Amino acid sequence: MKKTYILFLILFILSITSLFIGVKQFELVDILTLSEEVLMFLTMSRIPRLLALIFTGIGLSLSGLIMQTISRNKFVSPSTAATIDSARFGILIGLIFFASSAFYVKTILAFLFAFLGTLLFMKLISMLKAKNMLLIPLLGIVLGTLIDALTSLIAYRFDVIQLLNSSLVGDFSLIVQGRYELLYIMIPVVIILYLYSYQFSIAGLGEDVSKNLGLHYNQVVIIGIALVAIISATTIITVGNIPFLGLIVPNIVMMIHGNHLKKNMVPTSLFGAILVISTDIVGRVIIFPYEIPIGLSLGVVGSLIFLYLLLRRPKYVKQT
Amino acid sequence: MSNKLKWSLILIVIVLALLYVFLEMNRNAFSYMFPRRLIRLFAIILVAFVVATSTASFQALTNHHILTPSMLGYDSIYLLMQTVLIFVLGSTHPLSSSSSLLFFVTLIIMVGLSTILFVPLLRYLRHDLFTFLLIGIVLATLFRSVTSFLQMIIDPNEFSIIQDRSFASFNNMNVSLIYIAYAIVIVTTIVFQHRIKELDCIALGKSQAINLGIDYNKATTEMIVMIGILISVSTALVGPIMFLGLLVVNIARSILATYKHSALILISFLIGAGIILIGQTLLERYFNNMIPLGVVINAFGGLYLLYLLVKEFKRI
């Protein structure tokens, strides 16, 4: 528990720091006096950005944790299970067929496709009864590449490649008031994830065992995938793609804390938020006053950590 | 090898090449169009040869028919090195303003780096296909992220220069490099000719190859260097092509059950040239470049790779 408090403290300090970074500089005194201008900057841009960072960090790392539990594989996450690529395919369908329609139609389509894509992937791996630790993420990445190629094929045909590419790289710099509220949907989703955590743990024991224990296995898996799809679709629409976040955060937490799902949920979400905020701060400072999108900086950090996880694996797990 | 197959494929490729050059030719603009199409034809032929040779050699080295050098990030190393060079030197430096000089320096650095990276990877992970492939894919993602990262921080003028130079594709071939590319490929092929002959033994596996009198470590290192050079050439000419090698070499393998790599390379080369020529002719002349050829090849290649992985999985 002590570690959790430390994580909370770090998150708090980083959040305050995040509020103060940007082209418009404030002093601490400005906050205390709260002049109108400062208040406007805070409520229009800085606070929405901070909230979006926290929601994304928590949502994506928890969805990685749930997917890893259900699929019983440490290398599964929205970016290695075709979820993100399917969501982009959904956005493409929205752009082509419902070009004039509202934001929420795109969101629903992204969610629907993310859900179907992930379900397809889960069916594929359970059909193959794949036991090899690495074949599963590999299949997911290849399936994702395939969906991605299909997406760009259609996008080229309808000349929407540029519109679509804006959802390719995660970027918080465009988050202002009115552009992030969709992310509030994470709050109920995270609560539901927490409520179902024991069911997910049991589902993680495998289909046979969990049915034996009286669990509606398929129902629980579908709920899990649906929640993950909601999280992935809302982040990709508001922020863009943040690769590998859902993969590395749960793995790092599990290295320290072990595998108890419910106990891991709080540290995982805190650590996810901390990682996202700190990467964002670095990206904002490094080429000040410009910014490096978080999709790129976390792409670099994330793939390095992923490589580390891959290479350290044989030391304690025998290849099956 | 059956000579009939060889000659009929050669004939088909010649016909396709003629079609590529002369189809929809405007008589009045002949003197303008003819040399331009001819030089693109030469580029296509070279790329097909390079892809076939590098993929077949790489598959022999790794003993896996699923792997291609591009899937493990060779192309992205090349693009990264080019971006780093322009980033460090600036676009006004004499090196980055001459595209052939830039190509040459990038090639040397890329060969060095890929050798340092892939020789140990190959040595320790060859037996573990899935780890090898996954590490390769993650490395490729990493290099691509770093490339875009650097392109973000380069100022816009320099970025447009990089974009001009490094985002080659079949639609936008970098034909200014064609002569130097041909020279490099011919010299490389002659220098490494004896190693290509040894591929038949290397493909049997390490112990057998050593038993047959091959200096295994030296041979594999030299092959890695050769693959690095070849991939640099094709990436510089037409940009990254992820899955073409996977498709052509495996198609060749399925029509020609052979252990002889020289035959395999020749047939893969002819098939690859045929595929690119058909695709390019159709897309350029009749579909008005609606979709880039690379995207089409990626879609088919991705599907094929998925099929291969599932098959591989069922085998174990």
Side-chain angles (χ1 to χ4, degrees):
Chain A
M1 271 293 105
K2 212 172 169 188
K3 278 182 201 153
T4 314
Y5 289 126
I6 296 175
L7 285 179
F8 257 119
L9 191 69
I10 297 175
L11 180 59
F12 182 73
I13 295 170
L14 283 174
S15 308
I16 301 295
T17 320
S18 168
L19 287 180
F20 283 94
I21 290 177
V23 176
K24 169 76 187 158
Q25 304 278 344
F26 327 126
E27 301 292 322
L28 199 58
V29 193
D30 297 330
I31 300 279
L32 294 175
T33 52
L34 269 190
S35 70
E36 210 154 283
E37 196 197 355
V38 171
L39 194 67
M40 190 193 78
F41 264 100
L42 279 178
T43 53
M44 290 276 288
S45 153
R46 300 286 165 83
I47 290 176
R49 181 172 190 150
L50 178 63
L51 286 177
L53 286 165
I54 293 176
F55 286 148
T56 316
I58 292 176
L60 282 180
S61 7
L62 280 184
S63 55
L65 182 65
I66 298 300
M67 286 178 87
Q68 286 166 21
T69 309
I70 295 176
S71 65
R72 308 162 75 189
N73 188 311
K74 292 266 183 292
F75 294 111
V76 171
S77 75
S79 31
T80 54
T83 314
I84 299 290
D85 304 285
S86 317
R88 283 186 72 223
F89 191 76
I91 297 176
L92 171 77
I93 299 294
L95 282 175
I96 293 173
F97 292 107
F98 307 96
S100 58
S101 64
F103 191 56
Y104 67 89
V105 179
K106 246 183 0 186
T107 316
I108 291 172
L109 279 167
F111 157 69
L112 220 61
F113 276 84
F115 177 68
L116 290 176
T118 317
L119 204 62
L120 175 77
F121 172 70
M122 290 292 196
K123 274 273 169 294
L124 190 72
I125 59 173
S126 74
M127 221 165 62
L128 287 170
K129 302 204 187 316
K131 293 274 171 355
N132 189 305
M133 264 295 254
L134 296 184
L135 180 65
I136 291 173
L138 207 51
L139 276 178
I141 291 176
V142 174
L143 189 65
T145 315
L146 183 63
I147 295 174
D148 197 46
L150 212 68
T151 311
S152 26
L153 208 68
I154 300 175
Y156 265 109
R157 179 70 194 83
F158 288 91
D159 225 355
V160 287
I161 197 100
Q162 227 136 34
L163 277 172
L164 193 69
N165 273 355
S166 60
S167 67
L168 197 62
V169 177
D171 188 359
F172 282 96
S173 61
L174 296 173
I175 298 281
V176 284
Q177 198 175 25
R179 275 223 45 186
Y180 80 108
E181 281 73 6
L182 188 65
L183 289 172
Y184 277 113
I185 207 170
M186 299 266 192
I187 296 173
V189 170
V190 167
I191 292 172
I192 300 172
L193 280 180
Y194 196 72
L195 291 177
Y196 267 91
S197 57
Y198 280 128
Q199 274 86 335
F200 290 137
S201 303
I202 295 174
L205 297 172
E207 184 165 2
D208 297 336
V209 177
S210 49
K211 277 186 177 160
N212 219 358
L213 289 168
L215 187 79
H216 278 291
Y217 179 76
N218 286 331
Q219 193 190 330
V220 171
V221 168
I222 283 181
I223 290 173
I225 294 176
L227 295 174
V228 167
I230 293 176
I231 293 173
S232 309
T234 45
T235 30
I236 197 153
I237 280 188
T238 42
V239 184
N241 185 14
I242 304 181
F244 299 132
L245 182 65
L247 191 132
I248 54 175
V249 174
N251 270 299
I252 294 172
V253 172
M254 274 189 258
M255 273 187 222
I256 304 165
H257 270 248
N259 279 354
H260 191 292
L261 178 62
K262 196 165 190 170
K263 279 187 190 158
N264 271 350
M265 286 182 85
V266 175
T268 303
S269 29
L270 289 177
F271 187 62
I274 289 173
L275 187 61
V276 172
I277 297 180
S278 45
T279 321
D280 181 67
I281 289 175
V282 173
R284 281 153 85 177
V285 173
I286 207 164
I287 48 167
F288 188 83
Y290 305 103
E291 283 186 23
I292 292 168
I294 195 159
L296 289 183
S297 40
L298 211 57
V300 175
V301 178
S303 29
L304 284 175
I305 298 179
F306 189 12
L307 279 180
Y308 166 72
L309 292 172
L310 275 174
L311 289 172
R312 75 185 273 284
R313 190 182 46 98
K315 283 181 194 151
Y316 70 98
V317 181
K318 265 264 173 280
Q319 183 74 31
T320 46
Chain B
M1 174 183 20
S2 92
N3 266 324
K4 230 188 274 175
L5 177 69
K6 183 173 80 181
W7 287 111
S8 34
L9 276 174
I10 290 178
L11 195 67
I12 292 173
V13 170
I14 290 175
V15 172
L16 286 172
L18 289 175
L19 283 177
Y20 177 74
V21 175
F22 291 108
L23 217 56
E24 300 275 298
M25 175 72 90
N26 186 337
R27 223 169 267 255
N28 302 324
F30 184 81
S31 59
Y32 175 82
M33 286 163 96
F34 183 69
R36 274 166 187 74
R37 285 189 181 181
L38 204 61
I39 210 165
R40 288 164 70 89
L41 174 69
F42 284 143
I44 290 174
I45 300 287
L46 189 70
V47 167
F49 175 74
V50 159
V51 165
T53 315
S54 59
T55 310
S57 318
F58 198 69
Q59 292 190 345
L61 283 186
T62 53
N63 296 332
H64 289 300
H65 297 172
I66 292 185
L67 298 174
T68 71
S70 330
M71 269 151 61
L72 296 185
Y74 262 92
D75 310 19
S76 33
I77 299 182
Y78 179 83
L79 292 180
L80 175 62
M81 288 305 109
Q82 194 169 46
T83 313
V84 167
L85 269 182
I86 297 180
F87 180 71
V88 174
L89 299 174
S91 61
T92 46
H93 194 275
L95 191 70
S96 29
S97 49
S98 144
S99 65
S100 45
L101 203 59
L102 182 69
F103 165 62
F104 209 70
V105 176
T106 314
L107 182 140
I108 291 169
I109 301 176
M110 137 91 178
V111 169
L113 193 74
S114 62
T115 313
I116 293 171
L117 198 64
F118 283 105
V119 168
L121 262 181
L122 197 65
R123 206 154 287 169
Y124 297 115
L125 289 171
R126 196 161 45 89
H127 303 290
D128 192 353
L129 170 67
F130 296 133
T131 316
F132 195 25
L133 188 48
L134 202 55
I135 286 181
I137 288 176
V138 176
L139 276 179
T141 321
L142 173 65
F143 294 142
R144 268 196 296 274
S145 300
V146 178
T147 308
S148 347
F149 190 87
L150 289 178
Q151 289 175 350
M152 281 289 298
I153 25 186
I154 289 178
D155 74 85
N157 292 324
E158 298 186 6
F159 179 69
S160 68
I161 291 170
I162 297 187
Q163 204 162 26
D164 245 24
R165 302 256 170 82
S166 70
F167 287 99
S169 66
F170 280 106
N171 293 343
N172 177 28
M173 288 183 200
N174 200 345
V175 284
S176 61
L177 296 175
I178 187 83
Y179 301 111
I180 187 171
Y182 260 95
I184 289 175
V185 171
I186 290 170
V187 170
T188 311
T189 322
I190 293 171
V191 169
F192 291 102
Q193 203 185 17
H194 61 292
R195 293 295 177 203
I196 294 177
K197 282 181 188 154
E198 286 172 3
L199 279 178
D200 302 342
C201 305
I202 289 174
L204 295 173
K206 188 176 178 180
S207 327
Q208 272 89 337
I210 292 174
N211 221 354
L212 289 165
I214 285 171
D215 187 347
Y216 188 80
N217 285 342
K218 196 167 168 235
T220 44
T221 310
E222 280 187 22
M223 292 313 288
I224 295 269
V225 169
M226 184 195 83
I227 292 168
I229 298 174
L230 294 181
I231 297 280
S232 305
V233 170
S234 88
T235 314
L237 280 180
V238 296
I241 20 174
M242 277 274 275
F243 293 121
L244 185 67
L246 181 78
L247 280 174
V248 294
V249 175
N250 279 307
I251 295 174
R253 229 187 276 277
S254 66
I255 26 180
L256 185 80
T258 179
Y259 58 90
K260 278 191 181 155
H261 281 78
S262 51
L264 184 71
I265 289 174
L266 179 63
I267 298 297
S268 317
F269 158 54
L270 292 173
I271 292 173
I275 290 179
I276 305 176
L277 282 173
I278 294 174
Q280 216 30 47
T281 313
L282 288 178
L283 290 173
E284 245 178 59
R285 308 288 146 74
Y286 298 107
F287 292 94
N288 205 11
N289 280 330
M290 194 168 71
I291 348 168
L293 183 62
V295 177
V296 182
I297 292 177
N298 265 356
F300 280 107
L303 198 62
Y304 188 62
L305 178 61
L306 198 63
Y307 161 75
L308 283 180
L309 277 178
V310 170
K311 208 174 85 176
E312 173 77 8
F313 170 73
K314 284 190 172 152
R315 206 173 53 86
I316 33 178

